[in-house]
């Protein structure tokens, strides 16, 4: 007779892979990874879009699968456990305007079901603290959870972490008991990575064929950096900044780190990136995004061939650093060049605060740049 899963356990496919059990990796997820709105609001580049740059369920499943495949590859003998530890309260603006009440059922947003579709495919166990603590149908229950479990809108407090730990322990006990009952515990015939149909297995890997990732995406995820600039390091800024304009190594908030920034609209900075020895695949920028005070970044990557003064544009993109959600965070944007470079030629990066930001005091902050 099959046993019913506990309410908090969405998937129980935890593999016991060898007699000497290997460590368990815990992947904690966050409320910002929710259906319909990724935390980073990823850019959709004009020069070539990857699924990871889209919003909504596709993006969630893309990055979930990318993470699981990375863990399976880097630690093939580890058992994986995915814990949904947080969610976001659903304050619906439209309902607030029309119905005069902001909170509507189901009173939260979370990404557990989007994650589950990928996790089940890779036989990764998933448990949900929301399922354990919910439902959230009453103000009283939501208030109690906010006070007893969370220390802020997104992060569990000390008691919340203790509850998570005990739930994980109980989940493992339940799974081990199921495997003992089924005669599966420490069975040498179990896969060392994940159960799969051999028809779906790739020829060069023990992982199954991806369900959301394409060949182009796998190349993107395995790309190695050629040039990296950490712009919170003043020596890196001074060594790479060829044209400063009104940009400088500074901060406008004393408690925040200094980095390359400007609050002068229409002004540009140019960084010398050196001479990549291979063809470039992607540019990654780490910018500060916030709900107020931030403008639009116009970025361009240009190439100057040896012995020539002419610079040729490899990519150009416009990035809005203003978020609609009430939060601030350094986030990455990946952009593919629209044309290839000549290995060994000089590469420059140009960033400008768009003049359309002049209607209010705006700024830009660039924290890091990586060329793949």
């Amino acid at each position: 007779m099959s046993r019913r899963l506990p309410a908090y356990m969405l998937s129980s496919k935890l593999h016991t892979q060898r007699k000497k059990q290997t460590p368990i990796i815990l992947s904690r997820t966050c409320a910002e990874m929710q259906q319909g709105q990724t935390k980073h609001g990823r850019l959709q580049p004009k020069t070539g879009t990857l699924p990871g740059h889209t919003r909504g369920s596709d993006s969630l499943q893309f990055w979930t699968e990318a993470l699981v495949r990375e863990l399976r590859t880097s630690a093939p003998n580890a058992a994986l456990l995915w814990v949904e530890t947080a969610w976001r309260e659903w304050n619906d603006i439209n309902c607030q305007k029309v119905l005069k009440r902001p909170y509507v059922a189901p009173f939260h947003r979370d990404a557990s079901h989007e994650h589950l579709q990928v996790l089940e495919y890779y036989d990764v166990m998933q448990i949900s603290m929301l399922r354990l603590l919910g439902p959230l149908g009453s103000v009283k229950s939501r208030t109690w959870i906010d006070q007893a479990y969370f220390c802020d809108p997104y992060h569990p407090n000390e008691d919340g972490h203790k509850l998570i730990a005990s739930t994980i322990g109980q989940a493992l006990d339940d799974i081990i008991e199921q495997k003992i009952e089924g005669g599966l515990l420490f069975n040498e015939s179990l896969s060392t990575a994940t159960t799969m149909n051999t028809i779906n297995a790739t020829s060069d890997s023990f992982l199954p064929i991806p369900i959301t990732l394409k060949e182009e995406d796998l190349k993107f995820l395995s790309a190695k950096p050629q040039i990296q600039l950490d712009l919170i390091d003043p020596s890196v800024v001074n060594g790479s900044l060829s044209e400063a304009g009104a940009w400088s190594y500074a901060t406008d908030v004393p408690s925040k780190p200094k980095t390359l920034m400007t609050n002068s609209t229409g002004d540009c900075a140019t960084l010398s990136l050196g001479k990549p020895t291979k063809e470039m695949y992607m540019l990654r920028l780490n910018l500060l995004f916030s709900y107020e005070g931030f403008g639009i970044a116009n970025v361009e990557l240009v190439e100057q061939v040896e012995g020539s003064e002419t610079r040729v544009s490899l990519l150009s993109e416009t990035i809005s650093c203003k978020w609609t959600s009430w939060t601030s965070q350094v986030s990455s944007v990946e952009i593919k060049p629209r044309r290839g470079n000549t290995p060994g030629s000089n590469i420059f990066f140009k960033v400008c605060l768009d003049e359309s930001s002049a209607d209010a005091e705006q700024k830009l902050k660039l924290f890091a740049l990586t060329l793949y």
Side-chain angles (χ1 to χ4, degrees):
M1 182 176 69
S2 62
R3 297 184 55 189
R4 184 177 180 181
L5 290 178
Y8 60 83
M9 194 180 298
L10 303 183
S11 173
S12 62
K13 295 184 177 182
L14 178 71
H15 279 274
T16 309
Q17 292 152 7
R18 290 181 178 168
K19 287 187 177 180
K20 292 184 179 179
Q21 179 60 37
T22 50
I24 295 171
I25 298 174
L26 304 180
S27 295
R28 294 185 54 208
T29 63
C30 194
E32 287 77 7
M33 293 182 66
Q34 56 182 292
Q35 181 177 2
Q37 180 178 343
T38 61
K39 186 171 184 178
H40 295 164
R42 296 239 170 205
L43 175 71
Q44 298 186 33
K46 302 186 182 97
T47 49
T49 303
L50 294 169
H53 297 151
T54 62
R55 298 166 69 94
S57 297
D58 289 344
S59 179
L60 289 173
Q61 292 175 356
F62 176 96
W63 291 110
T64 302
E65 183 170 29
L67 175 59
V68 170
R69 291 182 73 90
E70 174 62 28
L71 293 173
R72 285 285 192 224
T73 303
S74 58
N77 296 323
L80 303 183
L81 172 62
W82 187 284
V83 187
E84 308 281 353
T85 62
W87 51 94
R88 172 173 285 182
E89 191 175 65
W90 192 345
N91 188 333
D92 193 295
I93 301 299
N94 292 326
C95 287
Q96 187 172 13
K97 290 179 179 178
V98 177
L99 303 178
K100 306 303 180 184
R101 62 176 187 269
Y103 301 108
V104 295
F107 306 103
H108 75 281
R109 290 180 178 177
D110 77 287
S112 58
H113 290 289
E114 280 69 28
H115 297 156
L116 181 60
Q117 295 176 44
V118 174
L119 299 178
E120 284 190 320
Y121 182 73
Y122 288 92
D123 290 352
V124 176
M125 179 180 176
Q126 181 194 34
I127 62 177
S128 169
M129 299 306 297
L130 175 61
R131 291 286 293 271
L132 178 70
L133 294 169
L136 307 177
S138 69
V139 175
K140 185 176 180 180
S141 65
R142 296 197 297 273
T143 301
W144 180 85
I145 291 173
D146 287 343
Q147 295 174 350
Y149 181 78
F150 287 108
C151 64
D152 62 27
Y154 310 116
H155 300 95
N157 57 24
E158 183 177 350
D159 289 336
H161 280 286
K162 290 178 180 178
L163 182 59
I164 293 169
S166 63
T167 304
I168 291 171
Q170 183 61 52
L172 297 179
D173 286 343
D174 289 340
I175 291 301
I176 290 173
E177 187 175 345
Q178 288 184 40
K179 289 185 178 292
I180 291 175
E181 290 180 357
L184 296 176
L185 193 63
F186 304 136
N187 188 335
E188 290 283 8
S189 66
L190 287 175
S191 166
T192 59
T194 182
T195 300
M196 69 187 81
N197 186 326
T198 54
I199 297 177
N200 290 331
T202 59
S203 59
D204 59 348
S205 172
F206 57 81
L207 293 171
I209 290 175
I211 56 176
T212 66
L213 307 176
K214 300 178 181 178
E215 184 177 350
E216 173 103 357
D217 307 325
L218 295 173
K219 182 179 178 182
F220 156 68
L221 293 168
S222 61
K224 304 299 181 183
Q226 296 192 62
I227 296 170
Q228 293 178 289
L229 298 183
D230 180 4
L231 299 175
I232 63 173
D233 184 338
S235 63
V236 172
V237 174
N238 293 332
S240 60
L241 197 59
S242 60
E243 298 176 14
W247 289 71
S248 62
Y249 178 75
T251 181
D252 57 337
V253 181
S255 61
K256 301 299 182 182
K258 292 182 178 181
T259 191
L260 185 61
M261 68 165 291
T262 188
N263 54 13
S264 179
T265 57
D267 207 79
C268 304
T270 302
L271 300 172
S272 175
L273 305 186
K275 301 178 179 180
T277 58
K278 301 177 181 178
E279 185 175 354
M280 297 180 302
Y281 177 70
M282 181 182 67
L283 173 68
R284 169 176 287 168
L285 303 174
N286 285 18
L287 292 152
L288 183 60
F289 292 77
S290 186
Y291 55 92
E292 62 179 357
F294 279 77
I296 297 171
N298 295 323
V299 302
E300 185 178 20
L301 202 63
V302 297
E303 174 186 47
Q304 183 175 340
V305 180
E306 190 78 29
S308 172
E309 295 297 322
T310 304
R311 294 185 178 184
V312 179
S313 178
L314 302 177
L315 69 81
S316 60
E317 194 60 85
T318 298
I319 306 167
S320 175
C321 294
K322 186 172 183 177
W323 275 350
T324 56
S325 57
W326 193 264
T327 185
S328 301
Q329 181 172 318
V330 176
S331 183
S332 64
V333 173
E334 293 86 19
I335 313 171
K336 288 188 62 179
R338 64 172 177 266
R339 54 162 291 173
N341 64 299
T342 303
S345 61
N346 289 295
I347 302 296
F348 297 89
F349 171 76
K350 185 177 181 180
V351 55
C352 308
L353 177 56
D354 193 275
E355 292 183 352
S356 64
S357 304
D359 57 343
E361 185 176 351
Q362 304 289 346
K363 58 190 173 185
L364 290 177
K365 290 188 177 184
L366 178 62
F367 282 80
L369 181 154
T370 307
L371 204 59
Y372 292 87

